[in-house]
Amino acid sequence: MSRSAHPAGPRHADVLPEGHYTAPAEDLNALDPKVWARTVGRDADGVVTVGGIPVTQLAEEYGTPAYLLDEADFRERARAWRTAFGDDADVFYAGKAFLSRAVVRWLDEEGLNLDVCSGGELATALSAGMPAERIAFHGNNKSPEEIERAVRAGVGRIVLDSFQEIVRVAHIAQSLGKRQRVQIRITVGVEAHTHEFIATAHEDQKFGIPLAGGQAAEAVRRALKLDGLEVIGIHSHIGSQIFDMSGFEVAAHRVVGLLKDIRDEHGVELPEIDLGGGLGIAYTSDDDPREPHEIAKALTEIVTRECEAARLATPRISVEPGRAIVGPTAFTLYEVGTVKPLEGLRTYVSVDGGMSDNIRTALYDAEYSVALASRTSDAEPMLVRVVGKHCESGDIVVKDAFLPEDLAPGDLIAVPATGAYCRSMASNYNHALRPPVVAVRDGAARVVVRRETEEDLLRLDVG
Ligand SMILES: *Cc1c(COP(=O)(O)O)cnc(C)c1O
């Protein structure tokens, strides 16, 4: 297909080098521990291994593309978050980042709670045995059926997102003879992006009820009057891939301000606040994420300080990391199909997947890194763009990176930090078969989500 026949997509491949890439790493064979899962290394032959298994062996057994998930790393990161916050706070893993029944079991075993935001995610959580009281149900437009199912199952909390939903959930709970624990999601006018935040962001977005104009206070006023609801707290989520804690500081200040107003008006101190997720990870060596214990310390201090100033008892805090737990624990393994040097520009490396298994580059202009995985090489670095096999010029996996000049069809390359928002956002574009997720631990690999087959595709197409 020609480029001009397919101009579609929100972004076009900008084929001219922008001239501001970071220089190639000194050693292209090195695997920066910041961006790779913890058990990743190279064996004596130079082949990348995870959980002690060479990727060449995994490719042979499970095919490519495949998401390879380091189970030990996942468990360690989950445990680190839980330990960091201790018994005085709750960690909810945001299931939308990546959810499967195996993941639900790991979370359960490691003592984490779980956020879901659809009937499908709720079904997955329940079918893997997550106790309902440890599930929080989110979303800006939960259907009456989803709400009923969540209330019946006995989920620990439903996060209410609009005035209509306050009434809807109250009505459903009451008709089932239940009193549902709820938090109210508010927008505090803080928008955080990576290294900066905007404290006066206007609340022009679909989630939550604006603090501005007294709307959040009015929502609490209404919810407190309804018999079907037990209002347990306020929820705020300010963004994603955040490194700078000052956005949380402003958000906590504003949430605590609301708790104080509620106390003054209704004589009730709501016992919980949820500060959401959004903590950043390293996609490339340029990113410097914080450790869970630093984040826990900072958030706890911020909330404690704000509550002391407002003369409120410190509420129980919860946080909802998704990406920060699962993101770094997986990488995508691809096979190189073609290597196309464009004189004076860059070399296009086509792999056997693309925007169907990683939409983040096209959707968010996300940055990734890449490494030659099936061998090492001493060849000179060449500037590459790793692209997929889809009929879109915007089908880019890694925008700018360096790979060795002797890269050839048949080589395996790996893109790290694809554990979050890759499989969970995967599509069947061009009738691609979504790749499997293979969990690797202590020298053993097992499929936790299998590869789609053509039969899967045709089963949905009923003719
Ligand atoms: C997406 C989301 C999260 C998780 O975000 P990460 O960036 O993956 O940590 C947490 N809470 C809510 C309400 C979300 O919408």
Side-chain angles (χ1 to χ4, degrees), residues 94 96 115 138 185 235 237 240 276-279 320-323 421:
K96 70 179 197 232
D115 272 359
H138 282 266
R185 177 162 176 177
H235 182 285
H237 172 75
S240 61
L279 287 313
E320 306 174 318
R323 184 195 319 267
Y421 306 108

Side-chain angles (χ1 to χ4, degrees), residues 81 92-98 115 117 138-139 159 161 185 207 235-242 274-280 283 319-327 420-421:
W81 275 88
F92 285 76
Y93 169 78
K96 70 179 197 232
F98 173 66
D115 272 359
C117 59
H138 282 266
V159 181
D161 199 88
R185 177 162 176 177
F207 291 111
H235 182 285
S236 151
H237 172 75
I238 56 171
S240 61
Q241 188 60 2
I242 304 166
D274 189 313
L275 293 172
L279 287 313
Y283 283 103
V319 288
E320 306 174 318
R323 184 195 319 267
I325 292 176
V326 72
Y421 306 108

Side-chain angles (χ1 to χ4, degrees), residues 152-336:
R152 273 187 197 281
V155 298
R157 65 171 76 145
I158 294 180
V159 181
L160 302 175
D161 199 88
S162 64
F163 282 95
Q164 280 145 359
E165 200 171 72
I166 291 172
V167 179
R168 210 171 276 162
V169 172
H171 179 75
I172 291 172
Q174 203 168 13
S175 69
L176 294 171
K178 297 216 185 194
R179 191 145 186 260
Q180 177 62 48
R181 290 160 55 85
V182 297
Q183 289 189 341
I184 295 174
R185 177 162 176 177
I186 68 167
T187 41
V188 293
V190 172
E191 208 182 309
H193 304 280
T194 308
H195 295 291
E196 76 219 48
F197 75 98
I198 312 167
T200 52
H202 63 126
E203 285 122 327
D204 188 2
Q205 57 146 313
K206 71 171 186 167
F207 291 111
I209 298 171
L211 190 59
Q215 292 184 74
E218 176 61 18
V220 174
R221 202 170 291 134
R222 292 190 196 176
L224 283 172
K225 285 197 191 120
L226 296 166
D227 291 336
L229 305 181
E230 179 189 349
V231 183
I232 58 169
I234 299 297
H235 182 285
S236 151
H237 172 75
I238 56 171
S240 61
Q241 188 60 2
I242 304 166
F243 293 105
D244 175 359
M245 301 301 287
S246 48
F248 288 102
E249 195 146 357
V250 177
H253 175 73
R254 294 182 181 175
V255 169
V256 171
L258 176 63
L259 291 181
K260 184 167 174 288
D261 292 347
I262 295 167
R263 193 250 340 255
D264 295 346
E265 181 180 342
H266 306 280
V268 216
E269 290 198 18
L270 297 184
E272 293 184 9
I273 80 172
D274 189 313
L275 293 172
L279 287 313
I281 63 164
Y283 283 103
T284 73
S285 297
D286 294 337
D287 296 323
D288 281 307
R290 302 231 194 154
E291 292 295 321
H293 67 89
E294 297 175 280
I295 294 162
K297 185 162 177 283
L299 290 182
T300 312
E301 278 174 8
I302 291 167
V303 173
T304 309
R305 187 175 353 107
E306 290 295 332
C307 288
E308 273 169 13
R311 298 177 181 282
L312 282 168
T314 306
R316 191 174 176 84
I317 301 172
S318 47
V319 288
E320 306 174 318
R323 184 195 319 267
I325 292 176
V326 72
T329 67
F331 60 90
T332 314
L333 188 67
Y334 298 103
E335 184 177 313
V336 173

